Amino acid sequence: MPVKQAVISASALSLLYPQAQHSGYSREQYLDALIAEQEGEIRRCLQKGAHVVQIDFTEGRFSIKLDPTRRLLHSFIDLNNLVLERFSAEERSELGCTPAQAPIATSTHSAEVDYAELLPSLFELQATNFCVQLASEPDRKRVLKFDSGNMPKLDNGFSWG
């Protein structure tokens, strides 16, 4: 049976670096090591037979709640793309992303953020497979009908239907 393996995103792990710079280990050094380790983690999953490796990007939606300007969201996307760009187009066909949050009362940290606000930016990720969880959305049809005419041209194999 095909197995989909989830991995935590580089952007989520980037939040672990302390706000006050750590003496002797800069944020840039941390991010360089993080990107390399994330690439290794994804490659190990594929080597062990994962059909698809899916990046858990739960913080994407949450970032809009924290920063309505979306600068934080775009910094997350840029960081995750630094990992994804280390893979060939063929390899990226086995890579995906999900922004889903669990529809559990204790983990709905950003349920009030409109999913349609995230989708245009989500598809800027250089992944090929996107798993968009709509079961907990109050108006699923509206989310699916967002205006794709204003979307950026994508270079990740994804096409608007």
Side-chain angles (χ1 to χ4, degrees):
M1 302 275 307
V3 173
K4 175 176 70 174
Q5 178 62 51
V7 296
I8 192 166
S9 67
S11 53
L13 292 171
S14 74
L15 298 172
L16 296 176
Y17 188 84
Q19 290 293 330
Q21 183 168 326
H22 190 275
S23 177
Y25 193 58
S26 71
R27 180 165 174 80
E28 290 76 25
Q29 289 173 303
Y30 174 75
L31 293 178
D32 287 344
L34 174 60
I35 290 165
E37 183 55 36
Q38 285 300 102
E39 175 191 8
E41 179 71 12
I42 292 169
R43 290 192 185 282
R44 284 188 294 277
C45 290
L46 292 171
Q47 289 167 355
K48 291 187 180 236
H51 175 68
V52 171
V53 177
Q54 186 166 302
I55 297 169
D56 183 345
F57 189 51
T58 304
E59 71 280 6
R61 194 170 178 176
F62 187 57
S63 71
I64 294 172
K65 179 179 178 178
L66 295 176
D67 174 23
T69 69
R70 292 182 176 72
R71 282 188 291 247
L72 181 59
L73 172 62
H74 290 292
S75 72
F76 284 168
I77 289 169
D78 290 345
L79 180 59
N80 291 323
N81 275 338
L82 289 174
V83 174
L84 292 166
E85 289 167 358
R86 291 175 168 229
F87 295 88
S88 69
E90 182 179 331
E91 291 169 322
R92 283 197 305 264
S93 72
E94 299 173 319
L95 305 181
C97 178
T98 181
Q101 63 184 33
I104 301 169
T106 58
S107 66
T108 55
H109 55 68
S110 55
E112 69 275 10
V113 175
D114 189 345
Y115 220 162
E117 290 185 46
L118 174 64
L119 292 180
S121 297
L122 174 71
F123 296 128
E124 292 174 14
L125 285 166
Q126 296 300 306
T128 302
N129 305 293
F130 293 88
C131 182
V132 180
Q133 184 276 118
L134 295 174
S136 60
E137 292 301 307
D139 189 354
R140 294 173 222 153
K141 289 182 181 181
R142 186 194 57 75
V143 171
L144 288 172
K145 290 181 182 179
F146 73 95
D147 182 11
S148 62
N150 293 324
M151 297 295 295
K153 186 157 179 91
L154 302 175
D155 186 29
N156 61 3
F158 185 83
S159 60
W160 300 107

